[in-house]
Amino acid sequence: MTDKQPVGVVGAGAWGTALAQAMAVQGRKVLLWDRDDAVVADLNRRHENRKRYPTVTLHDNISGCASLADMAKQCRLITVAVPSEANTAIAAQMSVHLTADHVVILASKGFRESDGALLSTVWKEAARQLKHIAVFTGPSFARELLEQKITSCVVAAESAAVREEIIACYPTRYVRLYESDDVTGAQVGGAIKNILAIAAGMLDGLGLGNNARAAMLTRGLVEMGRYAKALGGKEMTIWGLSGMGDLLLTATSTLSRNYRFGQLVGRGIPSAEAKLRIGTVEGLIAARIVTVQAQAHGLDLAIVSAVDGILHGDVTPLRAVEYLMQRPRTKEFAA
C-alpha cells in the first residue's frame, strides 16, 4: 500500500471516527463509512460528525463513504469499528467485494452472540479469500484518542509486514503501537475485560473497598488467560495491553459504560433497569457467552460465571461474593 492510497474505516461511531481522525492526522486519506446517510453527508459537507462529536471539526483527509463496495475498491486496509454484534452482517455484505489482497483490521471487541465465535472467525467464514485479518485493541477511550492524548495499543496479525503497514498509519507523536502475532489472545482480552469491568463496578456499588477490587481484577486476569489458552491463544498476551491494560482502563473509570452499569447493579438496581439507564453494555452479552463456552471447555471461570448469574437474577451480588470467598483454597499459580 502506498501513502497515497486511502484507508477505510467501517463505522462512524465514536471509536471509528477517532481512529479515522488519528490516521488522517498522520497524512492518510480516509474513507469513513456509515449506514446513516445523514452522517456521511455531514462528514462530506461540514467535515463534522455532529451525531458523535458535535463540537469537533474533523481533518480534511476524512471523506464520508456510503458504499462498502466503493471502499473495498479503493482501500486495501479496512478497519472495522462497528459494534461486535454488527460484524456478522457487515462481513456478509463486504465479502463479495474483498480479495486476497485486502487486510481487515478488527477494532471491535466481543464475540458472535449465537455461538461465541471470535470476530476473526466471523470474517474468515464470510470471506474465505482473505489472507490477512488483524486486530487493533488495547486501553483506549475514543474521546481521548480524538483529543490526541497519549494512547498505546496493540496491533495483532500473523504477518509482520502487515503489522508494520498498519502501524505506519498512525502518528507516533501520541499513538504508540506494539506488535503481537497472537490474534486470538488479543481478541479475548478485549472482550472479557468488559465482564470484569462490570464486576469491578458491582464491588464498588456494594462498597466493598479497593482491596476487593484489586483481588478480583487480578484473579479475573487469570480466568481471562485460561479462556485465551482454551481458544488457542497465549496466556502471556493477557498480561499485556490487550488484556491487563484494557482491563485497568475499563474497570477503574466512570467513563466506562460497563463499570457504571456494574455500580448500579451493586447498588441494588435490577440489571434490566440499569441497562436502560446506561445504554449499550457489551459485558452483559459477553458474560453469558463466556460462561456457556467455559462450561463446554471444562474451564473454571468462577468470577465470570458469578457475574453472569447476578445479571440473570440467579444470585444476588452479595451472595455471589460470599460464594467466591468460600471456594476451596488453591495455589495462586498451578505448576
Side-chain angles (χ1 to χ4, degrees):
M1 186 191 78
T2 66
D3 290 356
K4 295 182 179 180
Q5 185 178 13
V7 293
V9 177
V10 178
W15 184 224
T17 302
L19 290 169
Q21 180 78 343
M23 288 188 279
V25 167
Q26 179 66 0
R28 302 291 175 146
K29 296 290 185 181
V30 183
L31 298 185
L32 180 55
W33 175 91
D34 199 83
R35 64 181 180 181
D36 188 335
D37 291 339
V39 170
V40 174
D42 213 23
L43 291 168
N44 289 324
R45 293 172 187 168
R46 303 171 61 97
H47 290 294
E48 294 179 355
N49 184 348
R50 287 176 292 174
K51 184 176 180 179
R52 294 296 182 181
Y53 298 111
T55 63
V56 176
T57 299
L58 297 173
H59 200 285
D60 289 348
N61 282 345
I62 299 175
S63 300
C65 177
S67 168
L68 292 172
D70 286 347
M71 177 180 287
K73 185 181 297 183
Q74 297 184 60
C75 306
R76 177 171 178 265
L77 298 185
I78 298 175
T79 298
V80 180
V82 297
S84 57
E85 64 270 18
N87 270 258
T88 300
I90 293 294
Q93 292 175 46
M94 289 202 75
S95 61
V96 296
H97 307 297
L98 297 174
T99 69
D101 191 50
H102 281 99
V103 178
V104 170
I105 306 148
L106 302 175
S108 309
K109 298 174 181 179
F111 305 98
R112 181 164 59 194
E113 187 174 357
S114 62
D115 61 358
L118 295 171
L119 298 184
S120 58
T121 300
V122 171
W123 281 85
K124 286 177 183 176
E125 290 177 353
R128 297 185 182 277
Q129 69 274 25
L130 278 176
K131 291 184 178 179
H132 301 292
I133 296 177
V135 174
F136 187 106
T137 188
S140 47
F141 285 137
R143 184 77 199 201
E144 292 192 5
L145 178 62
L146 190 77
E147 293 172 350
Q148 299 190 13
K149 293 181 177 177
I150 291 174
T151 301
S152 192
C153 288
V154 173
V155 173
E158 293 179 359
S159 165
V162 166
R163 296 194 298 266
E164 289 291 341
E165 195 173 357
I166 296 167
I167 290 171
C169 292
Y170 289 88
T172 57
R173 177 170 55 85
Y174 64 96
V175 180
R176 181 171 175 82
L177 298 175
Y178 288 81
E179 296 182 51
S180 172
D181 60 3
D182 185 9
V183 174
T184 295
Q187 290 177 90
V188 169
I192 294 185
K193 57 94 178 181
N194 289 321
I195 307 170
L196 300 177
I198 292 174
M202 287 179 182
L203 291 174
D204 289 348
L206 290 167
L208 292 180
N210 296 317
N211 293 353
R213 182 175 60 189
M216 183 281 297
L217 293 178
T218 305
R219 295 309 299 173
L221 282 165
V222 173
E223 295 189 9
M224 194 186 288
R226 290 174 186 161
Y227 197 75
K229 184 178 180 180
L231 295 189
K234 302 173 183 177
E235 289 184 81
M236 182 58 69
T237 300
I238 297 306
W239 296 94
L241 288 166
S242 65
M244 181 169 63
D246 211 352
L247 178 61
L248 289 175
L249 181 75
T250 310
T252 60
S253 173
T254 54
L255 291 176
S256 163
R257 294 185 303 269
N258 290 279
Y259 175 79
R260 297 200 311 273
F261 170 78
Q263 277 186 316
L264 293 175
V265 174
R267 292 169 184 163
I269 306 299
S271 59
E273 182 180 339
K275 187 177 185 302
L276 287 175
R277 294 190 191 183
I278 298 297
T280 301
V281 181
E282 300 92 339
L284 180 60
I285 295 173
R288 174 47 52 96
I289 290 171
V290 176
T291 296
V292 171
Q293 294 298 318
Q295 292 172 352
H297 285 89
L299 299 176
D300 178 14
L301 305 188
I303 295 172
V304 171
S305 297
V307 171
D308 182 62
I310 294 167
L311 297 182
H312 288 86
D314 300 328
V315 63
T316 65
L318 273 178
R319 184 67 190 93
V321 170
E322 292 172 0
Y323 161 73
L324 291 171
M325 292 298 293
Q326 293 167 4
R327 297 179 78 229
R329 289 191 304 276
T330 184
K331 290 182 178 179
E332 184 176 21
F333 296 109

